[in-house]
Amino acid sequence: MEPDNQLGLYEMVADRLKEAHSMVRALQVPEGVRMALSRKLLAITAASKHDLAAAARRLDLFAEEIREGRFPQDG
């Protein structure tokens, strides 16, 4: 991937990670669910350091799960 494209992908993933964190904070869910969602976001963030494209795909799936109300079980 060319440097300009890579930089654009980094910026897009960073912006979407911020949006995902805001989505999680705004949810009215038990604290255990919120913590599980936050752990998923941390894993996606860590993955972005090694495979940015895969992290972007995981972030898409994560946001889709939230929009559809599919949350991990509390506990």
Side-chain angles (χ1 to χ4, degrees), residues 17-73:
L17 279 168
K18 288 178 191 176
E19 290 172 16
H21 279 282
S22 294
M23 289 170 66
V24 170
R25 279 193 306 271
L27 292 173
Q28 299 296 318
V29 295
E31 189 59 27
V33 172
R34 186 179 321 283
M35 288 175 59
L37 292 169
S38 293
R39 283 191 297 272
K40 282 181 121 177
L41 280 173
L42 288 174
I44 294 169
T45 301
S48 72
K49 296 175 184 176
H50 304 285
D51 188 343
L52 195 57
R57 288 188 298 273
R58 288 177 64 185
L59 190 54
D60 283 341
L61 293 173
F62 179 83
E64 182 179 322
E65 289 172 355
I66 289 177
R67 283 191 298 273
E68 292 177 358
R70 294 184 284 144
F71 307 123
Q73 296 297 314

